[in-house]
Amino acid sequence: MTTIGTLQAKLTATSAPAATVLIRLYVGAVFLFEGALKFLRPDAQGTGRFDKAGIPAPGFFAPLDGFFEIGCGLLILAGLLTRLAIVPMIVNMLGALLITKLPILWAGARLFAGKSGWWDLAHESRTDLAQLCGSLFLLLAGAGALSLDARRQHTFTSNGSPQPPYADSRPQALRHRSLIVDRS
């Protein structure tokens, strides 16, 4: 198997249960919707918010952030290259927490005038923390059984070589046993 194939197999490998789809749908949908809002409501959620937060070059970084949130959100929703799509979103959430939420502790948050201290920080950062935790979970566990990553994973044999679409995916010990039992 090529180096690219090995890397792809590692990025898409998942043994997480089917229930992982619930976390994937939540995390992906929030990123998708927040990315879209950066374009639909630029003053409140996009360039205007980035400018108010003191982020340099808001006209560049807000749309860039929006494109990443939409693109990665769609990949996460589909469960396609989930681990790869999660990495920039973890960076995104860490940036949001450090730049816009952490200054609440010392009443220095430009977006949250009049708010200060631990309880205001905990309240205002709850969605970012939930997104970060969900993203970390998906990075560690993978996309789960109900994903395109899992579907792609099953197209490779145990030694890493591509498996033809018609190949029997049952373990070797089960391949020669009949599923029909003669009970006569």
Side-chain angles (χ1 to χ4, degrees):
M1 181 179 236
T2 66
T3 305
I4 293 174
T6 304
L7 178 61
Q8 180 182 2
K10 287 180 182 178
L11 285 174
T12 60
T14 182
S15 61
T20 303
V21 71
L22 298 173
I23 294 171
R24 207 180 72 238
L25 292 177
Y26 162 75
V27 170
V30 171
F31 283 133
L32 175 63
F33 300 154
E34 289 298 316
L37 284 172
K38 286 181 175 56
F39 298 101
L40 297 172
R41 298 180 182 164
D43 290 337
Q45 302 296 323
T47 307
R49 183 175 177 91
F50 276 51
D51 187 36
K52 188 174 178 184
I55 296 171
F60 173 76
F61 285 112
L64 179 67
D65 188 41
F67 282 123
F68 267 95
E69 287 179 338
I70 291 168
C72 292
L74 288 170
L75 288 171
I76 294 165
L77 282 169
L80 179 62
L81 300 173
T82 304
R83 285 189 171 106
L84 188 62
I86 281 294
V87 172
M89 295 299 90
I90 289 172
V91 172
N92 188 18
M93 289 296 90
L94 290 172
L97 287 164
L98 294 173
I99 294 169
T100 66
K101 306 303 188 305
L102 191 61
I104 293 172
L105 280 176
W106 54 86
R110 295 171 147 186
L111 294 176
F112 304 99
K115 297 196 177 193
S116 67
W118 168 252
W119 293 111
D120 286 336
L121 170 66
H123 173 73
E124 295 299 339
S125 63
R126 67 194 182 283
T127 304
D128 296 341
L129 288 171
Q131 285 295 99
L132 179 60
C133 289
S135 295
L136 289 170
F137 174 83
L138 291 171
L139 179 67
L140 296 173
L146 299 176
S147 67
L148 293 176
D149 284 349
R151 190 175 171 109
R152 291 171 53 95
Q153 180 179 342
H154 293 296
T155 63
F156 293 92
T157 61
S158 60
N159 70 2
S161 60
Q163 175 175 302
Y166 55 83
D168 191 342
S169 62
R170 293 178 296 163
Q172 183 68 32
L174 298 177
R175 288 186 189 168
H176 301 294
R177 295 185 185 167
S178 175
L179 295 176
I180 301 171
V181 178
D182 185 10
R183 296 188 189 261
S184 51

